[in-house]
Amino acid sequence: MSDAIKHECGIAMVRLRKSPQYYIDKYGTPAYASNRMYILMQKQINRGQDGAGVANVKINTKPGTRYISRYRSIEPSAVNYIFDKINKKYKKAKKIGGENALSDAEWLKENIAFSGEVWLGHLRYGTHGENSIETCHPFLKQNNWRSRNLVMAGNFNMTNVEDLFSKLVELGQHPKEKTDTVTVMEKIGHFLDEENQRIFDKYKHQYSNEEITHFIEDELDVARILRRSCRDFDGGYAMAGLIGNGSSFVVRDPSGIRPAYYYADEEIIVVASEKPAIKSAFDIDFKAIKEIKPGHALVINKDGSYTESEVMPAREKKSCSFERIYFSRGTDPDIYQERKNLGKALIPQILKAIDFDLKNTVFSYIPNTAETAFLGLIEGLDEYLVAKRKEVLLDGKPHVGDLDELLSFRPRVEKLVSKDVKLRTFITNDDDRDTMVSSVYDTTYEVVRPGVDTLVVIDDSIVRGTTLEKSILTTLDKLNPKRIVIVSSAPQIRFPDCYGIDMSRMKEFIAFRAALALVKERKMEPILDQVYDLAIANPLSTENFIKRVYAPFTDDEISDKIAEIVTAPELKAEVCVIYQTVENLHKCIPNHLGDWYFTGDYPTDGGTQVVNRAFVNFMQGKTVRAY
């Protein structure tokens, strides 16, 4: 994606199902779980580079032994930094325990941190607020009762933080912050405490407190805790938690907005935000990796048994299509094919835009994640040419040029755009800053015929259009093409995301700017006031009023206006912008229909309220997020 946006977070969990000694004996290292966690997190580094954190819980430790360990970091290579520190624990063990220390799992559990059976990792992209250690997951809620300790990390955003905060106050709590992470953790922590109390009351007249502690740890009903906690949540989430007794869970929102996958065998249970990470860490078949169902929680009990339980009624599945288009790694075989299909689906629009003149067209892509869609695009062009050859050879249809040329012709493919090292603008004026930004991308010279060739360049998506306007088009125009066709494998992004992606302000979207320009051109400004009045008067409405701003215009009209906006006066080439259609998006990605940023059809009531609030902020000149 040429427009950099912060997005998503990543979770990773490993639960050893056998005694720690088993893994030392079989794999020859006490760091089996640590090494697997490292791979899981490194293979998901695309999901968060602002910070990382790892927590570990030891099961059945003796009183007086530390059983929860946690490291967090905002270092540039946070994952490496954390695991370097963890590995130093094993080196220390050898020093203080002697040569045999690393072969003795019980000694390690008693003496060395990060030697427990349950692991939780998190990769963070900071979509709001400061980037500090305190904002990094996992978060920890501590208590002297082991089964009341809670460690949590997640990939989520709640749209109803104010409401959740109020409910905590009603419960008698005094939250120290009004953030979704804190409110979610305190809510789950509250019902964890109540579950502890419920079991305590069940046995308090029969056993000593010390004996009851063991009953509580063995009988905690984690699914019940989550059913009571999550019923008020509105948002997209995949939240993972460790309880001090060794139980753990991953819970997914009812619409399946945020992803979560797991694999289990007799040795381990592993959870991650992306399937390729699990595949790489454990070298298993993709088909063995399962998706946690929407509204369900994968609950792993203290004894290592597990269930996938419904904790909230599932809604229509609306998992994030942006995961498939851009965010997740393309090494997932399904995502790889979906991205190729997205490129192929654009063929009719592209052929129309170039007047079917393939001979004088050069095809390329914006590196690096648009490459797969580009492969699909070229594959689609090859199929188109095969069909045309059949028409000539089998049906006798007329053609231009001789038969040898028809049979040997191939689309012209070049790598035209290269992303240079990250440039810093330092302290400079606006004009000079634009010059610096325009140098972020470089191009390959002497492969385009000046004034003759059309360039078709595909990108994953066009969000703000800033890089397109300031850098990519300027770079391509240096090649003196006749025309530049910019193609987005995603539809027009018209509405904010409020479930974890940093796309929240209306005025930043190039599609919204285009709609405003059309409104102004056609003297339709009253529609903005009408939508504003509706949004102000109906803050809890579940109707997306902002759709009315786009309604008078066709997709092509908005695309044409976007092309005008991003075309700088000094550009010599004609510019055309093509977007994927929503209909084709659904055909290419049939199992992930979350499309609210394109259509405005939010899967939760809170999402619709956020988009209306975002428009109010725009009209009032506020630059704050709407959630």
Side-chain angles (χ1 to χ4, degrees):
M1 183 185 295
S2 54
D3 289 325
I5 59 172
K6 292 188 175 183
H7 58 84
E8 309 304 323
C9 289
I11 56 172
M13 181 185 286
V14 170
R15 170 60 152 90
L16 302 180
R17 302 187 74 189
K18 295 183 180 293
S19 72
Q21 191 64 48
Y22 170 90
Y23 303 91
I24 293 175
D25 296 341
K26 180 173 180 178
Y27 297 102
T29 174
Y32 172 78
S34 173
N35 291 340
R36 302 286 85 72
M37 273 296 294
Y38 175 72
I39 297 170
L40 282 174
M41 294 181 71
Q42 280 291 5
K43 291 298 182 180
Q44 296 184 103
I45 203 72
N46 54 298
R47 304 191 68 85
Q49 295 169 34
D50 288 337
V54 173
N56 178 249
V57 171
K58 303 174 185 177
I59 301 175
N60 290 329
T61 56
K62 298 172 184 176
T65 303
R66 182 180 176 188
Y67 57 93
I68 298 178
S69 303
R70 177 182 61 160
Y71 280 149
R72 298 181 291 176
S73 173
I74 54 171
E75 293 292 319
S77 299
V79 174
N80 285 336
Y81 177 82
I82 287 170
F83 281 91
D84 282 346
K85 289 185 71 174
I86 291 172
N87 287 335
K88 286 177 182 176
K89 298 290 183 185
Y90 296 115
K91 292 177 182 177
K92 180 183 175 183
K94 194 172 180 181
K95 247 183 210 182
I96 64 175
E99 286 295 324
N100 297 325
L102 297 183
S103 301
D104 187 340
E106 281 304 312
W107 185 91
L108 288 169
K109 278 183 71 172
E110 288 179 14
N111 295 278
I112 300 298
F114 291 97
S115 57
E117 297 90 336
V118 197
W119 292 75
L120 175 60
H122 185 264
L123 296 138
R124 179 178 187 265
Y125 259 128
T127 51
H128 359 183
E130 62 176 333
N131 190 39
S132 64
I133 288 286
E134 288 71 26
T135 57
C136 286
H137 301 203
F139 283 80
L140 177 59
K141 187 174 188 291
Q142 293 179 291
N143 193 285
N144 228 24
W145 286 58
R146 190 160 55 183
S147 55
R148 290 176 185 250
N149 284 274
L150 179 63
V151 184
M152 280 199 66
N155 169 16
F156 65 91
N157 225 74
M158 297 299 167
T159 66
N160 63 333
V161 175
E162 293 284 346
D163 183 49
L164 293 174
F165 184 85
S166 297
K167 290 184 183 299
L168 289 176
V169 174
E170 289 170 11
L171 289 170
Q173 293 193 20
H174 191 89
K176 62 181 180 180
E177 291 180 52
K178 194 182 286 187
T179 63
D180 54 3
T181 305
V182 171
T183 51
V184 163
M185 185 166 192
E186 292 299 336
K187 191 102 183 315
I188 295 174
H190 171 80
F191 288 108
L192 173 61
D193 287 343
E194 286 206 348
E195 177 68 7
N196 271 263
Q197 192 63 46
R198 180 183 70 84
I199 301 171
F200 180 85
D201 291 343
K202 176 181 172 183
Y203 293 110
K204 65 181 179 182
H205 298 302
Q206 305 171 54
Y207 300 96
S208 68
N209 285 4
E210 186 177 352
E211 290 171 317
I212 293 174
T213 295
H214 298 293
F215 285 117
I216 292 172
E217 292 194 0
D218 292 337
E219 295 183 21
L220 274 181
D221 188 341
V222 178
R224 182 174 185 269
I225 294 167
L226 295 173
R227 276 192 290 272
R228 302 181 73 198
S229 306
C230 298
R231 58 193 174 197
D232 297 318
F233 294 166
D234 187 298
Y237 52 88
M239 296 185 292
L242 312 181
I243 300 172
N245 71 322
S247 299
S248 53
F249 63 86
V250 178
V251 60
R252 198 170 177 212
D253 67 84
S255 300
I257 295 169
R258 298 272 72 87
Y261 301 92
Y262 76 98
Y263 167 76
D265 61 25
E266 69 279 0
E267 290 187 359
I268 54 98
I269 301 170
V270 55
V271 181
S273 296
E274 297 187 27
K275 289 194 286 184
I278 300 176
K279 165 72 175 175
S280 296
F282 294 92
D283 193 24
I284 54 173
D285 195 300
F286 267 106
K287 293 177 182 176
I289 303 170
K290 300 178 181 179
E291 183 177 8
I292 297 176
K293 294 188 283 289
H296 284 62
L298 178 70
V299 175
I300 308 169
N301 300 311
K302 179 185 175 183
D303 63 3
S305 61
Y306 71 96
T307 58
E308 188 178 355
S309 305
E310 183 179 272
V311 294
M312 292 160 291
R315 301 174 186 153
E316 181 183 2
K317 189 181 178 189
K318 291 287 186 178
S319 47
C320 176
S321 58
F322 246 125
E323 284 279 355
R324 322 297 289 186
I325 297 166
Y326 169 68
F327 295 147
S328 293
R329 281 181 178 263
T331 49
D332 182 310
D334 294 330
I335 292 176
Y336 181 77
Q337 190 57 52
E338 288 164 3
R339 290 180 183 174
K340 286 183 71 176
N341 291 343
L342 287 169
K344 194 179 295 188
L346 290 157
I347 294 295
Q349 292 168 267
I350 292 172
L351 289 173
K352 183 180 178 182
I354 65 172
D355 301 320
F356 294 84
D357 183 9
L358 290 172
K359 187 176 180 180
N360 297 310
T361 301
V362 178
F363 295 89
S364 193
Y365 61 94
I366 308 294
N368 288 320
T369 52
E371 184 176 3
T372 307
F374 176 71
L375 293 175
L377 168 61
I378 299 305
E379 191 175 290
L381 286 173
D382 287 338
E383 291 173 4
Y384 166 79
L385 289 170
V386 168
K388 285 298 175 186
R389 292 178 186 121
K390 284 182 178 178
E391 289 178 0
V392 172
L393 297 174
L394 301 179
D395 302 335
K397 288 191 175 182
H399 66 282
V400 178
D402 59 36
L403 192 58
D404 285 343
E405 184 182 9
L406 174 71
L407 293 176
S408 63
F409 181 79
R410 292 289 183 274
R412 294 169 61 196
V413 175
E414 303 288 354
K415 185 172 182 180
L416 294 178
V417 181
S418 301
K419 193 166 187 179
D420 272 357
V421 293
K422 190 171 184 179
L423 298 175
R424 298 181 183 274
T425 56
F426 302 104
I427 300 171
T428 183
N429 58 45
D430 289 343
D431 290 340
D432 197 34
R433 185 178 292 110
D434 287 347
T435 301
M436 297 288 285
V437 169
S438 70
S439 302
V440 170
Y441 287 90
D442 205 348
T443 188
T444 306
Y445 294 93
E446 306 298 332
V447 295
V448 173
R449 293 173 295 179
V452 176
D453 288 337
T454 292
L455 307 185
V456 174
V457 182
I458 190 168
D459 197 356
D460 296 296
S461 62
I462 304 166
V463 185
R464 304 180 183 105
T466 308
T467 308
L468 187 60
E469 178 183 0
K470 302 290 185 185
S471 184
I472 293 170
L473 286 173
T474 303
T475 300
L476 293 173
D477 195 57
K478 293 175 183 176
L479 300 174
N480 297 313
K482 176 183 175 184
R483 182 190 306 161
I484 302 171
V485 181
I486 299 294
V487 184
S488 170
S489 67
Q492 296 167 3
I493 297 170
R494 300 181 170 192
F495 304 95
D497 183 82
C498 52
Y499 302 122
I501 305 171
D502 189 17
M503 300 191 303
S504 56
R505 302 179 184 94
M506 294 294 301
K507 72 171 187 176
E508 293 182 349
F509 303 133
I510 189 70
F512 183 67
R513 289 165 56 199
L516 290 178
L518 290 169
V519 164
K520 186 176 180 180
E521 276 181 15
R522 301 182 189 184
K523 303 189 187 311
M524 300 170 64
E525 287 91 338
I527 196 171
L528 301 178
D529 294 326
Q530 292 166 12
V531 171
Y532 176 71
D533 291 341
L534 284 167
I536 286 287
N538 303 279
L540 300 180
S541 175
T542 56
E543 179 186 345
N544 182 349
F545 300 121
I546 290 68
K547 287 184 179 183
R548 303 185 188 201
V549 176
Y550 293 99
F553 316 114
T554 66
D555 291 355
D556 288 343
E557 286 176 321
I558 291 177
S559 293
D560 291 344
K561 182 54 65 177
I562 289 171
E564 284 183 36
I565 292 172
V566 299
T567 303
E570 62 271 16
L571 250 61
K572 299 182 290 293
E574 175 192 344
V575 176
C576 173
V577 176
I578 293 173
Y579 281 90
Q580 187 73 261
T581 66
V582 173
E583 181 183 5
N584 279 341
L585 173 77
H586 290 165
K587 287 179 181 177
C588 296
I589 311 178
N591 299 318
H592 301 268
L593 300 177
D595 61 4
W596 51 91
Y597 14 71
F598 309 128
T599 64
D601 298 329
Y602 289 82
T604 74
D605 292 346
T608 306
Q609 290 157 15
V610 164
V611 70
N612 290 332
R613 202 153 57 238
F615 184 78
V616 169
N617 288 342
F618 163 74
M619 292 293 285
Q620 293 177 350
K622 296 178 180 177
T623 58
V624 296
R625 288 179 174 86
Y627 58 88

